[in-house]
Amino acid sequence: MNCNLDTVLAQFCYDSRVIGCERHGCGHINTTYLVVCESGHRYILQKINHTVFNDVEALMHNISAVIDFLAKKASDPRTIMKLIPARSGADYLCMPDGSYWRSYDYVENTICLQRPDSPEDFYQSAVAFGNFQYQLADFPASTLNETIPNFHNTVDRYRIFHDALNRDAYNRSRLVREEIAFVLAHEKEAGILMEMQKSGKLPLRVTHNDTKLNNVLLDGKTRKALCVIDLDTVMPGLSVYDFGDAIRFGASTADEDEKDLHKVEMSLELFGIFAGGFLGACPSLTETERQMLPMGAKMMTLECGVRFLTDYLDGDHYFAIHYEDQNLYRSRTQFKLVEDMEKKWEQMNQICGSFH
Ligand code: GN1
Ligand code: MG
């Protein structure tokens, strides 16, 4: 039996009676609602995908620790997410049907974008993510749980891809020969970043790991960077993951599932703008980290494409899809972006080298 939303809503400490609750946002993993109360106060309610995050307690421990840490450094409370406790006093709720829920204050007068309306919007997201990483530089990383083990371990993502391909449970591999060939042709590069981390060339930091443009809120009035959201994957990681994942999504000239690949390019202009904002807000990166930013962009894009294609082969159980073959279209845009980055490789390196 599935619990109904009213029963869930009744268990959170909202300031007045709930008068509305609608689906909200574009996340691929959790299910998000916008809650409106009689007072006019609004909240975010999320059903946590506990197939993806199977230790919800560990996940919520991370989030509240990160929020508390950032809140101590922040001068404006709107810059940090605020968890709304359940009536039990806990910061999440487990319902009798086994579903998990949490709630946040809704940050009013903010903008959440799927694509930058202007280069300045993208610059602001770079400032937000660069600053986020900078603020967490002295967070005690060993107290963080790994909410999804091997999240950006591209070599392991390839292992899972091979498993799915061998199973071919939905008999779909015959439909995606070209995409499979692309993935296999890039396999030898998959370990580059992790090897550099293991040999001490790239330092382990506390990173966000999911730096899509829609995981940052801009101030509605000033359009300046305000608040980084979606803290589920804050874990020890590499700075170049955060840079790279943001490029993958926000420097693309088209949507993540664009069907017309002619429209999909990695904009060098946006790449440069993001690099400037990110490096300016996070001045502590080492020379090697700076040099590896283009590789971070390429690896995060390749890895995400591999993950989308794996999920397509596996029957679309991980990423939420809104129409058939959406994961396949998503994977194609990622591979097109990787190809485009390979063409623009020299310029990408030049741009990163120009910020000293
Ligand atoms: C997911 O949850 P959301 O939509 O912000 C995914 C990211 C992918 C992204 C692709 C926990 O992010 O890793 O890069 O989709 N999050 C998780 O759009 O797997
Ligand atoms: Mg998100």
Side-chain angles (χ1 to χ4, degrees), residues 203-253:
L204 207 53
R205 301 190 180 275
V206 174
T207 47
H208 182 281
N209 296 305
D210 187 6
T211 49
K212 293 205 283 201
L213 181 65
N214 64 15
N215 282 336
V216 62
L217 303 178
L218 304 183
D219 187 291
K221 269 206 198 97
T222 63
R223 277 190 108 94
K224 298 268 183 241
L226 187 71
C227 179
V228 168
I229 60 173
D230 197 348
L231 307 179
D232 292 331
T233 51
V234 177
M235 285 182 278
L238 301 181
S239 56
V240 301
Y241 295 161
D242 279 5
F243 176 84
D245 196 52
I247 295 299
R248 171 193 84 70
F249 190 83
S252 170
T253 51

Side-chain angles (χ1 to χ4, degrees), residues 15 41 56 58 65 83 96-97 103 135-136 153 155 157 162 188 203-204 220 225 256 262 278 287 289 352 356:
D15 75 345
H41 202 110
V56 175
L83 279 162
D97 67 352
S103 192
Q135 296 299 322
L136 289 176
N153 180 341
V155 173
R157 296 292 184 181
H162 280 290
K188 56 183 184 311
L204 207 53
E256 195 175 54
H262 292 109
F278 191 80
E287 190 51 37
E289 284 178 294
C352 291
H356 280 287

Side-chain angles (χ1 to χ4, degrees), residues 27-29 53 151 210 212 215 230 248 256 307-308 318:
H28 297 339
I29 307 293
F53 299 104
F151 191 58
D210 187 6
K212 293 205 283 201
N215 282 336
D230 197 348
R248 171 193 84 70
E256 195 175 54
R307 294 173 64 197
F308 287 143
Y318 186 92

